[in-house]
Amino acid sequence: MRFLEQLYLAIDRFNNRLGRIVSWTAIIMVLVQFLIVVMRYIFNFGSQSMQDSVIYLHSILFLLGASYTLLHEGHVRVDIFYREHSQFAKAMVDAIGALVLLLPVCIFIWWWSWPYVVQSWATHETSLQTSGLPFVYILKTLILAFASLMAVQGVSMFLRSLLTLTGHNTRQAREDGAHV
């Protein structure tokens, strides 16, 4: 049981650190968008590469930050039914949700995205705009990263729930490990 606890804590620490790093893309994205607006409306100059960079930053923020959101329970959930239940009932809902919903959806996204991403890498796909960023294949790879990170966080969620269901108190260990 100690191994399972250390495993989910390691996953939580990783996704927590990744989420904190990725959160900086929000500030960068706002600054770039501000610069685009200033350049367009004051200097009458537009840049497709800068427009593309906002899309890339937005994708990084949401696709790589989703597992951080799941870790900190910032995702959408029907709390009317969830919040009033015991820790045991919450753990049961989380375990079933991770196994029946989250992990299969992540596997489905990964499975169906793989050929799409491989095709993009094979051709080194670039922007359809001549002055756009030439790294569309890297952008598409974020879909696989999203599915992988969410699946790994789903495993962490399942392990935490499993330990709670088997009578192991993981609340303090999670608070100590995930917020380092």
Side-chain angles (χ1 to χ4, degrees), residues 27-137:
I27 294 169
I28 297 167
M29 185 173 56
V30 168
L31 293 173
V32 171
Q33 187 63 54
F34 175 75
L35 187 59
I36 289 169
V37 170
V38 168
M39 287 173 48
R40 179 175 294 149
Y41 293 107
I42 294 177
F43 300 109
N44 200 26
F45 175 78
S47 169
Q48 186 61 45
S49 293
M50 288 183 69
Q51 288 282 12
D52 285 356
S53 71
V54 171
I55 294 169
Y56 281 55
L57 290 166
H58 191 260
S59 299
I60 290 168
L61 180 64
F62 282 91
L63 293 174
L64 298 184
S67 58
Y68 175 85
T69 303
L70 181 60
L71 169 64
H72 292 284
E73 299 180 359
H75 57 286
V76 176
R77 175 174 48 210
V78 183
D79 277 343
I80 295 169
F81 304 110
Y82 189 82
R83 69 175 170 215
E84 299 298 324
H85 285 69
S86 67
Q87 287 294 85
F88 184 85
K90 288 178 182 179
M92 183 66 74
V93 169
D94 287 345
I96 292 170
L99 280 180
V100 175
L101 298 173
L102 181 61
L103 291 173
V105 167
C106 290
I107 291 167
F108 177 80
I109 291 170
W110 205 94
W111 181 264
W112 283 99
S113 298
W114 177 256
Y116 177 70
V117 173
V118 167
Q119 170 83 26
S120 186
W121 272 88
T123 61
H124 287 283
E125 186 176 0
T126 61
S127 176
L128 296 176
Q129 305 296 324
T130 55
S131 60
L133 291 178
F135 308 112
V136 174
Y137 54 98

